[in-house]
């Protein structure tokens, strides 16, 4: 019996499993491949806890066909987890050095999805730095999905960070990644999860 494939989606900073892209995947995946199980863990704001929660989900479905999709900060986690678990990952406008980027956000924060108020600290930045995977040993396992109009991150930083990884670069767009539906079939193909046509042949 074949094992049901699973995709783990990792949300970004101050987001949650109720994010728009997570909900879009819940809507689209059943039509693209109904066999896929989508898992969207609540990561929380603490980087160490976020990584542990994502790792636990991946461990729980080990042995099955797997893929990781990570958006923004989730893309940073996805790249590190891909190297640790040997699982392909699609990085959507990923944050490549969040410990530098998020320095501008130190202090009180509020997650509009969860209603959680918290303090982002230099200790969190240090934790992110420790999670950086360093040299990417398997760049072919990472698919970069970038839009040049990203107002939060310079898409060229991801190209420089992951020079050996395949990349889909769209002109314009924004950090949220416009027309996400267009790239989802390419992600499934990268994960080798494209639905097989089982209709009878004449």
């Amino acid at each position: 019996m074949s094992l049901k494939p699973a995709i783990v989606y990792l949300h970004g900073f101050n987001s949650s499993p109720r994010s728009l892209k997570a909900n879009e995947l819940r809507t689209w995946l059943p039509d693209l491949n109904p066999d896929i199980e989508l898992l969207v863990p609540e990561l929380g704001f603490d980087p160490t806890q976020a990584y542990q929660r994502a790792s636990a989900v991946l461990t729980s479905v080990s042995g099955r066909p797997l893929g990781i999709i990570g958006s923004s900060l989730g893309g940073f986690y996805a790249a590190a987890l891909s190297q640790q678990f040997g699982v392909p990952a699609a990085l959507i406008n990923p944050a490549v050095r969040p410990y530098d980027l998020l320095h501008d956000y130190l202090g009180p924060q509020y997650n509009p999805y969860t209603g959680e108020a918290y303090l982002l600290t230099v200790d969190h930045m240090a934790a992110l730095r420790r999670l950086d995977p360093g040299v990417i040993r398997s760049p072919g396992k990472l698919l970069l999905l970038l839009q040049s109009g990203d107002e939060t991150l310079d898409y060229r930083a991801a190209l420089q960070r992951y020079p050996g990884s395949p990349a889909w670069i769209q002109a314009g767009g924004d950090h949220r990644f416009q027309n996400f539906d267009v790239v989802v079939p390419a992600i499934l193909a990268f994960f080798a999860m494209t639905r097989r046509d089982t209709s009878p042949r004449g």
Side-chain angles (χ1 to χ4, degrees):
M1 179 182 296
S2 62
L3 296 173
K4 190 175 184 179
I7 289 176
V8 178
Y9 177 77
L10 304 180
H11 62 74
F13 179 64
N14 276 344
S15 188
S16 86
R18 298 190 297 278
S19 71
L20 182 58
K21 278 195 285 295
N23 285 331
E24 288 172 338
L25 286 171
R26 292 185 183 99
T27 298
W28 299 332
L29 285 178
D31 289 333
L32 294 170
N33 186 342
D35 292 333
I36 293 173
E37 180 181 5
L38 178 65
L39 304 165
V40 189
E42 175 78 63
L43 299 179
F45 66 88
D46 181 85
T48 302
Q49 180 185 70
Y51 196 85
Q52 290 173 345
R53 288 179 175 178
S55 296
V57 172
L58 287 167
T59 300
S60 73
V61 291
S62 63
R64 293 163 56 177
L66 292 176
I68 309 170
I69 301 175
S71 175
S72 193
L73 179 57
F76 172 78
Y77 295 138
L81 290 162
S82 170
Q83 301 304 291
Q84 178 183 344
F85 285 87
V87 173
L91 314 184
I92 304 168
N93 286 334
V96 298
R97 292 179 180 84
Y99 38 82
D100 292 332
L101 173 72
L102 292 177
H103 258 289
D104 293 339
Y105 297 85
L106 292 178
Q109 287 291 324
Y110 175 77
N111 187 320
Y113 289 93
T114 65
E116 183 178 29
Y118 65 95
L119 196 66
L120 191 67
T121 70
V122 293
D123 288 341
H124 293 135
M125 300 304 101
L128 284 170
R129 191 177 292 274
R130 289 192 295 270
L131 291 172
D132 192 305
V135 176
I136 302 300
R137 300 180 305 277
S138 303
K141 287 190 176 295
L142 302 179
L143 173 65
L144 309 180
L145 299 166
L146 311 170
Q147 291 190 333
S148 65
D150 187 335
E151 72 284 2
T152 302
L153 301 168
D154 187 337
Y155 77 99
R156 293 169 293 188
L159 295 174
Q160 294 169 359
R161 179 68 178 89
Y162 309 114
S165 300
W168 178 321
I169 307 169
Q170 293 183 345
D174 55 25
H175 187 61
R176 182 222 158 331
F177 200 96
Q178 294 299 313
N179 301 314
F180 180 44
D181 60 310
V182 173
V183 301
V184 174
I187 293 174
L188 297 189
F190 184 71
F191 292 164
M193 293 182 185
T194 301
R195 184 178 186 177
R196 293 181 176 86
D197 184 2
T198 57
S199 59
R201 300 290 179 176

